[in-house]
Amino acid sequence: MSSHLANLEHLRALRLPDARAEYERQLNDATIESLNFIDRLDLILDKEITMRHNRRVARKLREASLRVMAYKEEFSFETHRGISRETFASLTSLSFMDKGHGLIITGPTGVGKTYLGCLLGMEAIRMEYSVRYLRTSDLIERLSLARADGSYRNLMANLRRLDLLILDDFGLSPVSVTSSRELLEIIDARVDLRSTISLSVPGNQVPCTYGGCDCR
């Protein structure tokens, strides 16, 4: 077996498929001879690392179920969203997540609360955080169904572990005492540990009484 074939087999055995593909590509690229060993190795390793990152991001994006696909590079300040460039830069740095702080994003219907919330969620996914977007009414329904089928404790545990939980239409309509307690339990368990973004219409939001919250 030639050294090249042996190397390809070693990369397969090590379960480095993208590094293997890059190595194989280099074998068929005459121009690659102009690069030294270190540069070629950098290309091989970078290919494996990049593709692994992309797969993780794709999986986390599917799990997040974001309502809209929003990217900070496409954000427009010309649509009167009521947010300054300084605040936007601060939010998209995700520094609030490093501290386990929460956000309450308020504004009238149509101003872009959901868009901004999903944009922050997308930025978190890019950094390989676990994210979940839920309309508050859908979360309440899931909690009710989980109580009925016995999966309640697992659902609550999963919600607590999420790096970022985005609750849309928060406080939009009245909820039962049981549901309000469950929502409080979820939020309280995440304070200073995991971040929660609540998207609410002014006048409907629940006052922010838990510590470490950066309200907007």
Side-chain angles (χ1 to χ4, degrees):
M1 181 182 293
S2 72
S3 60
H4 289 318
L5 290 177
N7 288 338
L8 289 170
E9 180 59 24
H10 291 157
L11 290 170
R12 185 197 65 77
L14 290 170
R15 299 182 179 180
L16 300 172
D18 298 299
R20 186 180 189 277
E22 173 60 21
Y23 182 76
E24 194 167 22
R25 185 195 69 78
Q26 291 185 13
L27 294 178
N28 298 307
D29 183 359
T31 64
I32 206 72
E33 297 298 333
S34 62
L35 299 180
N36 60 40
F37 170 77
I38 296 299
D39 289 338
R40 293 180 65 174
L41 180 61
D42 284 344
L43 289 174
I44 292 171
L45 296 178
D46 184 67
K47 181 71 172 183
E48 183 69 32
I49 291 171
T50 298
M51 295 305 295
R52 288 191 180 196
H53 168 74
N54 290 345
R55 285 193 290 271
R56 288 192 296 268
V57 167
R59 174 176 55 81
K60 290 178 181 296
L61 182 58
R62 289 193 301 271
E63 294 171 348
S65 299
L66 297 178
R67 185 172 175 180
V68 296
M69 301 291 287
Y71 302 88
K72 71 176 183 180
E73 295 84 0
E74 300 173 354
F75 187 83
S76 173
F77 292 93
E78 308 302 322
T79 53
H80 307 293
R81 297 184 186 275
I83 182 172
S84 68
R85 294 179 183 274
E86 292 75 16
T87 298
F88 182 77
S90 175
L91 291 177
T92 54
S93 73
L94 304 182
S95 59
F96 68 95
M97 290 187 64
D98 295 334
K99 304 169 186 175
H101 287 186
L103 299 175
I104 297 179
I105 300 175
T106 68
T109 301
V111 76
K113 300 182 299 297
T114 298
Y115 182 88
L116 179 57
C118 289
L119 183 151
L120 295 176
M122 177 62 75
E123 200 61 23
I125 290 170
R126 285 173 156 182
M127 299 298 293
E128 297 193 25
Y129 287 112
S130 59
V131 178
R132 185 68 48 82
Y133 167 92
L134 287 166
R135 294 180 69 244
T136 304
S137 58
D138 291 338
L139 174 57
I140 291 172
E141 183 178 357
R142 290 191 187 191
L143 291 169
S144 178
L145 292 173
R147 284 196 303 271
D149 66 17
S151 61
Y152 180 80
R153 293 183 64 182
N154 286 338
L155 175 59
M156 292 292 280
N158 289 336
L159 291 170
R160 293 189 188 103
R161 284 196 296 266
L162 288 169
D163 294 317
L164 179 61
L165 175 62
I166 305 170
L167 295 178
D168 206 349
D169 296 334
F170 188 76
L172 186 62
S173 58
V175 298
S176 68
V177 173
T178 298
S179 295
S180 64
R181 286 175 177 170
E182 289 172 339
L183 289 173
L184 178 60
E185 181 181 349
I186 293 168
I187 294 173
D188 187 61
R190 298 172 56 80
V191 171
D192 294 331
L193 298 173
R194 303 286 189 271
S195 293
T196 304
I197 297 178
S198 302
L199 311 175
S200 175
V201 174
N204 289 326
Q205 70 270 20
V206 177
C208 178
T209 57
Y210 51 95
C213 176
D214 298 326
C215 299
R216 297 289 184 270

